[in-house]
Amino acid sequence: MSLDTDRFEPVTRDIELQIGGMTCSSCAGRIEKKLNKIPGVTATVNYATEKAKVTVSGDVDERDLVSTVEATGYTATVPAPPRAEPDGPDQSDAEAAAGSAEADAWRQRLVVSAILSAPVAAMAMVPALQFDNWQWLSLTLASPVVVWGALPFHRAAWANLRHGAATMDTLISVGVTAAYLWSLWALFFTSAGMTGMRMPFALLPSSGAGESAHLYLEVASVVTTFIVAGRYFEARAKRSSSAALRALLGMGAKDVAVLDDTSGGEVERRVPVSTLRVGQRFIVRPGEKIATDGIVESGSSAVDASMLTGESVPVEVGPGDAVVGATVNAGGRLVVRATRVGADTQLAQMARLVEQAQTGKAAAQRLADRVSGIFVPVVIGLSLLTLAVWLLTGQTASAAFTAAVAVLIIACPCALGLATPTALLVGTGRGAQLGILIKGPQVLESTRAVDTVVLDKTGTVTTGHMGVVSIEVADGTDPVEVLEVAGSLEHASEHPIARAIAEHAARSGARMETVADFANHGGQGVSGVVAGRAAVAGRRTWLESEWSLTAPERLRRTAEAAEGLGQTPVWVAWDGAVQAVVVVADTIKESSAEAIAELRRLHLRPVLLTGDNAGAARAVAEQVGIPPEDVIAEVLPEDKVETVKRLQAEGATVAMVGDGVNDAAALAQADLGLAMGTGTDVAIEASDLTLVTGDLRAAPDAIRLARATLATIKGNLFWAFAYNVAALPLAAFGLLNPLIAGAAMAFSSVFVVSNSLRLRSFDPSR
């Protein structure tokens, strides 16, 4: 019997390549195009991060990908997996070092070029400084700049030429080389090399006679310096914009005190965190960072998670509670058993999400890549056309050459290639600092159109934990006494409702008594002797059937009203009489009302979605400011996705906020999925944005950040396009000196980078 392999989907896997030798977005576009021609390969190449994210299916080998990139004229390596050695540098450290080395190399090139170019420009622009044979000194100073300073552009242009391609570096190399060769020709074969030669400076090309002696050494050297300056600032931007990711990875502990069981008892030894394994126990002392994700086995303390989640209030933990690596033990000594280590920890997952987002491309960037891919040959053609038209209309060769070189230099769209990736790098890095993880650049496009936000109730708008919402006492009963009896009785139970009552009593300052003869009656209630009094707490039907107790009418009405709202009444009795009813419910997060008000200020319509009964849903909605018509209740888990589909069919662009496994399908179906970081891994995996803090106020903050990042990208693209569109005609008509063109071109890149870096100071409260 043969196996029908067509029935099975091919297995896919993701591979990341570190790309070397790219100098502009055209390079990234060429590599991406070549990789995508390989059968079974889908690749995205990001110029800013210098990485390729490749999805392969079938038997495509990593070596095939590397060889394809190398055949295109660039280098590619597969990053090594994280080192197991305790003191070995990790990948983020290596990338940081590489980024620093790149910036330092460009800075060195910039400093030397600027020192040599300054006197060349001064002598060319100020005739009073032109002494006898000044032109030969200019040649001496300009030559190292043109040859060594512009070497990266010449090298890239030659590599592309060998592969039949042209990039932005081609424009730079051709423009600088043409200006330099023209000057050499003028010096050696015209009167420009004669002693006593003087050259007036003009911002616009001249069509008059006698211009054949004009030199362009200042253009060749100063344009090179300007462009090198732009590349230096680009390298600095890439280094600083990824600093948030490196800081995130650096938050973890470096070593840990592990507990080993020996024949002589437990032995404590300090080891690097990289050697920690799942199941091992380790000690966390006050003030230390928790080494990795785990479960507290013994001890109690307050854990400060502000560095990881932004929550300023420490969280109390005790035996059985989960703790997260990189958070700080602010109280007592803890013994923790590791549950996740290395790449599986929450910190590593956060860093991975940020890096994946930075590697991807938004739709706007793909448009920029397509434009830059055809832009270079068009510009070269336009430059040659400009030269021909000027010569055919009777202008001098010098004026024609000046206009043609200006076209080459002003057209270089470096800013176009930087417009999206720099903003995306900075925006996602700032999001990580704020506890907002953006999964990919396409998310930014989604936030623009969202008009409806569907909110899961439990765990999103509410805490997901039971709490006391009201206490109604019988006539003549002391409320303090109710708290003391009920709190003492329920303190001995592990039921969530019992814990809610016990915690409320403790917070209220009630005195906790030792309970004698305690008994748990299988979900019906509990009984025991508190301070010599026989007491019970539980369901009304149980009190009536087992204890022959009758509740007062006023308390009955209170309980019925609570049940109508989906709340749980707990009856408390002692001395043979019902003394009070304690109403317990899932409590609303303190921040929910404020968050929903913020969503409204963003012109978004909040909708509450829950499986609870309509009464309970309306009660929660009323407290947080959602009108009854925007409440969808009694929805089964499997019907949540259908609700999202129905809203979309009605014309709404839907964002979904949830935290549970039952929310995962709806999060994936929504146009924008936001998962609470306190929720399940399934929900987080299905979402587009993760709100690490679990605070609903992070939802409007996330939308604001995404919109601000998208607005920055659009602003960058507009100015990059507008700059080229406006400047090219000026250069072609001879209204732009190549020197000014070079400065303007470099400034456009600096502007895009500076505009993107403004996102580092993004404040969601403004």
Side-chain angles (χ1 to χ4, degrees), residues 572-593:
V572 183
W574 67 82
D575 293 339
V578 175
Q579 306 288 349
V581 60
V582 180
V583 179
V584 179
D586 183 7
T587 54
I588 295 172
K589 293 181 179 178
E590 295 179 1
S591 60
S592 291

Side-chain angles (χ1 to χ4, degrees), residues 201-514:
F201 176 76
L203 287 176
L204 302 181
S206 171
S207 59
E211 287 295 313
S212 60
H214 198 95
L215 301 178
Y216 291 96
L217 292 171
E218 82 281 4
V219 171
S221 60
V222 175
V223 165
T224 297
T225 302
F226 280 143
I227 296 172
V228 168
R231 293 295 170 89
Y232 167 61
F233 288 120
E234 289 173 24
R236 281 188 59 185
K238 288 192 286 187
R239 182 177 62 185
S240 60
S241 59
S242 59
L245 178 59
R246 293 197 301 273
L248 196 64
L249 290 167
M251 282 169 49
K254 304 304 180 187
D255 53 27
V256 58
V258 174
L259 279 178
D260 289 335
D261 294 325
T262 66
S263 56
E266 293 181 339
V267 175
E268 178 184 336
R269 60 187 178 91
R270 201 125 197 124
V271 299
V273 167
S274 58
T275 65
L276 195 61
R277 297 292 178 263
V278 173
Q280 283 187 298
R281 294 187 303 152
F282 59 91
I283 297 172
V284 189
R285 293 183 172 84
E288 289 185 339
K289 289 182 179 180
I290 296 175
T292 193
D293 299 357
I295 300 293
V296 177
E297 285 206 340
S298 66
S300 60
S301 180
V303 173
D304 181 1
S306 58
M307 289 192 303
L308 193 63
T309 67
E311 283 288 348
S312 58
V313 180
V315 179
E316 296 291 336
V317 297
D321 290 333
V323 290
V324 178
T327 55
V328 178
N329 179 12
R333 178 181 183 271
L334 296 174
V335 176
V336 180
R337 184 175 295 277
T339 56
R340 292 190 290 190
V341 297
D344 296 327
T345 63
Q346 183 175 333
L347 180 66
Q349 290 171 0
M350 287 173 61
R352 193 155 52 245
L353 283 173
V354 174
E355 189 171 18
Q356 287 172 358
Q358 292 178 343
T359 305
K361 288 186 180 180
Q365 174 63 17
R366 295 188 181 279
L367 172 62
D369 287 348
R370 288 195 296 270
V371 170
S372 63
I374 62 174
F375 196 74
V376 174
V378 168
V379 167
I380 292 176
L382 181 60
S383 176
L384 294 173
L385 180 63
T386 300
L387 179 66
V389 169
W390 275 68
L391 291 174
L392 291 174
T393 54
Q395 308 301 323
T396 64
S398 176
F401 176 79
T402 301
V405 170
V407 168
L408 285 175
I409 294 171
I410 197 67
C412 184
C414 296
L416 196 63
L418 291 169
T420 295
T422 52
L424 188 61
L425 280 166
V426 181
T428 51
R430 179 59 178 152
Q433 292 174 334
L434 295 171
I436 301 165
L437 300 182
I438 303 174
K439 271 196 175 179
Q442 67 280 357
V443 173
L444 304 176
E445 305 286 346
S446 303
T447 60
R448 172 178 52 185
V450 166
D451 53 31
T452 302
V453 180
V454 175
L455 303 163
D456 173 58
K457 182 178 78 69
T458 305
T460 302
V461 176
T462 65
T463 62
H465 302 289
M466 306 299 283
V468 174
V469 295
S470 67
I471 300 175
E472 189 76 19
V473 300
D475 295 337
T477 301
D478 183 2
V480 174
E481 190 176 9
V482 171
L483 283 175
E484 291 176 349
V485 173
S488 300
L489 197 59
E490 299 286 22
H491 185 71
S493 173
E494 290 298 320
H495 194 278
I497 292 177
R499 286 204 303 269
I501 295 173
E503 289 171 2
H504 179 78
R507 285 195 302 269
S508 302
R511 185 176 65 254
M512 294 296 176
E513 303 284 356
T514 302

